[in-house]
Amino acid sequence: KTAVFATLLASAAAFAPVAQKASSSALRAFEDELGAQPPLNFYDPLGLVADGDEAKFERLRYVELKHGRISMIAVAGYLATEAGWRFGGDIAIGGPTFAEIPGGFAALSAIPGAGLAQIIAFIGFLEIAVMKDIVGGEFPGDLRNDYLDFGWDTFDDETKLSKRAIELNNGRAAQFGILGLMVHEKIQEIGYDPDLPIIGHL
């Protein structure tokens, strides 16, 4: 119950008004940045870039993109496992099989300890050696490092901006999406099973 309450509290805090308003100089500095769009336009309720610091803004934008990308993968993985998609074979020597691993939070206790250690080590490797801007990218979150391109350099500036906005917005939606999926899973454990319009029971 405490974990669910803390998660909901953290979500609400993102929308809570604060006494310190972003300065007019910060608004002018960032109101035309990617992601500042209707209906909220430039939205900084906690005043994180109220001082107009461009380096801080770019760091936060990189973090936002990173969390959005992770969340998009998380939502896709959650939905795939809930749909029953699994790899074939065993997850470890002697089992259990991938098909026996449940979805959601229950998977954490079903995966053998060595398997979890491998997952954490692989994520650490990606974080330290792969998913980083080595050569100085075109924009915050550009991790191509003069290696991967997938035709990006063939797009005109307008198309690039559009695709970056699509990624940013999808990432924002995915962050709320995976949070909602986790909360829904936990509230059922405490006996809350509402019959919602359209959706029905969770």
Side-chain angles (χ1 to χ4, degrees):
K1 294 182 180 179
T2 304
V4 173
F5 178 75
T7 303
L8 293 173
L9 186 62
S11 303
F15 297 94
V18 294
Q20 181 181 4
K21 298 292 185 179
S23 68
S24 58
S25 61
L27 289 172
R28 286 194 298 271
F30 304 125
E31 64 184 1
D32 294 325
E33 287 286 346
L34 183 73
Q37 56 197 42
L40 297 177
N41 298 314
F42 175 64
Y43 186 62
D44 181 23
L46 298 180
L48 297 177
V49 290
D51 56 1
D53 188 330
E54 184 70 24
K56 184 193 296 183
F57 177 85
E58 290 191 356
R59 169 63 183 166
L60 292 172
R61 171 50 47 85
Y62 168 73
V63 171
E64 180 184 22
L65 276 169
K66 180 178 180 180
H67 289 173
R69 289 166 178 172
I70 293 170
S71 296
M72 286 188 279
I73 295 172
V75 169
Y78 194 106
L79 296 179
T81 54
E82 286 298 308
W85 296 354
R86 297 291 191 280
F87 292 117
D90 295 342
I91 194 171
I93 298 175
T97 66
F98 282 103
E100 294 173 335
I101 302 297
F105 285 104
L108 296 175
S109 57
I111 297 174
L116 283 177
Q118 291 177 53
I119 293 172
I120 294 171
F122 180 64
I123 293 172
F125 168 74
L126 292 176
E127 183 74 15
I128 294 171
V130 180
M131 306 304 291
K132 57 191 300 186
D133 184 357
I134 298 172
V135 301
E138 185 178 323
F139 51 85
D142 179 8
L143 306 180
R144 292 174 297 154
N145 294 313
D146 294 333
Y147 181 69
L148 298 174
D149 184 71
F150 300 114
W152 177 259
D153 288 333
T154 64
F155 299 136
D156 57 40
D157 290 342
E158 184 177 354
T159 302
K160 288 181 178 181
L161 194 65
S162 173
K163 290 186 177 295
R164 288 177 58 202
I166 290 169
E167 180 190 28
L168 184 62
N169 285 329
N170 286 348
R172 288 169 172 174
Q175 289 176 73
F176 280 101
I178 192 62
L179 174 64
L181 289 170
M182 292 190 297
V183 171
H184 289 168
E185 182 178 337
K186 284 301 180 182
I187 62 176
Q188 288 179 307
E189 295 180 4
I190 61 176
Y192 184 66
D193 186 19
D195 187 7
L196 302 175
I198 302 177
I199 299 175
H201 291 280
L202 296 174

